[in-house]
Amino acid sequence: MAGDRLYALLERLGNLLRTEERAAGLPHGLQPVHLQALRYLQSCNRYSNTPASLTEYLGLTKGTVSQTLLLLEEKGLLRKQTDTEDRRVIHLLLTEAGRAVLHQALPPELFKRALSGLPGEGEALEEALTGLLRSLQAANAQRSFGACGTCKHFQREGPGRFRCGLTQDPLSREDSHLLCREHEAIPPGH
């Protein structure tokens, strides 16, 4: 059955990637979950860089994420900042050291080499896996955590000017490429 074979293939790829992440994190004293947290924080927007968003994105318990954040903060890879408008909200910000670790560790070298051997450096594979991810998220009623520019709330106001239709906040070109917890995919055919 094709579904069984595809699942086994994806499971094996996931295991190999975690093994490579483990090896890449060892010189820095980090486990794969720590690198995954840093990677998320590098690619999310200002609405989504909170402990609750990270917990939801990783699909882990609050306790596990709390311990992960404690270690990353102790290592100087991230810092916490209280929101200026709502003092109850804490934002998680990567430090330069955190960015440097990510640059060195992810994606792992073995993955880069394997990807370079694929036709179009994996563009068709990326498209197919993105569709699979969206289907799984929709089936489980999970947030999509997509880039702002692919969200139904994303509004273009002119050359280089964007706005979030949900929050009414202006967005930069860089913002439009970042992951958002509030992302809602554009319905097919729109």
Side-chain angles (χ1 to χ4, degrees):
M1 183 178 226
D4 290 343
R5 288 191 309 269
L6 183 56
Y7 180 81
L9 178 63
L10 290 172
E11 181 181 42
R12 184 65 184 133
L13 286 167
N15 287 335
L16 288 171
L17 287 174
R18 276 190 296 283
T19 298
E20 290 301 309
E21 284 179 346
R22 194 171 289 107
L26 278 178
H28 309 285
L30 301 174
Q31 293 294 319
V33 68
H34 304 132
L35 292 173
Q36 292 162 7
L38 291 173
R39 183 147 171 104
Y40 170 75
L41 293 172
Q42 178 187 42
S43 57
C44 71
N45 66 17
R46 63 187 179 262
Y47 308 111
S48 307
N49 63 352
T50 65
S53 295
L54 178 62
T55 300
E56 189 174 13
Y57 182 82
L58 294 176
L60 299 172
T61 66
K62 289 180 184 179
T64 299
V65 171
S66 178
Q67 291 302 310
T68 296
L69 294 176
L70 184 63
L71 180 130
L72 294 174
E73 191 174 24
E74 286 174 357
K75 288 185 171 287
L77 303 178
L78 70 79
R79 65 183 175 84
K80 295 177 180 173
Q81 179 179 353
T82 304
D83 189 89
T84 55
E85 294 179 24
D86 184 347
R87 310 287 293 164
R88 298 170 298 175
V89 176
I90 301 294
H91 294 280
L92 306 169
L93 306 170
L94 286 185
T95 62
E96 285 305 314
R99 290 183 192 287
V101 165
L102 274 176
H103 181 72
Q104 292 172 356
L106 296 181
E109 258 331 291
L110 181 64
F111 179 77
K112 290 178 193 176
R113 286 195 310 266
L115 191 61
S116 69
L118 294 176
E121 297 205 346
E123 286 182 25
L125 178 60
E126 180 183 354
E127 188 176 315
L129 290 175
T130 299
L132 178 60
L133 174 62
R134 286 189 180 137
S135 294
L136 286 170
Q137 288 170 327
N140 288 320
Q142 292 176 327
R143 293 181 191 266
S144 59
F145 282 92
C148 286
T150 65
C151 179
K152 76 176 192 177
H153 301 296
F154 184 74
Q155 300 172 350
R156 295 180 190 279
E157 295 187 328
R161 293 185 28 202
F162 313 104
R163 181 172 302 279
C164 174
L166 183 64
T167 65
Q168 295 304 310
D169 289 336
L171 300 171
S172 68
R173 184 173 305 283
E174 180 183 88
D175 288 335
S176 71
H177 299 290
L178 298 175
L179 297 181
C180 183
R181 181 182 196 202
E182 303 299 334
H183 181 271
E184 291 186 47
I186 298 169
H190 286 88

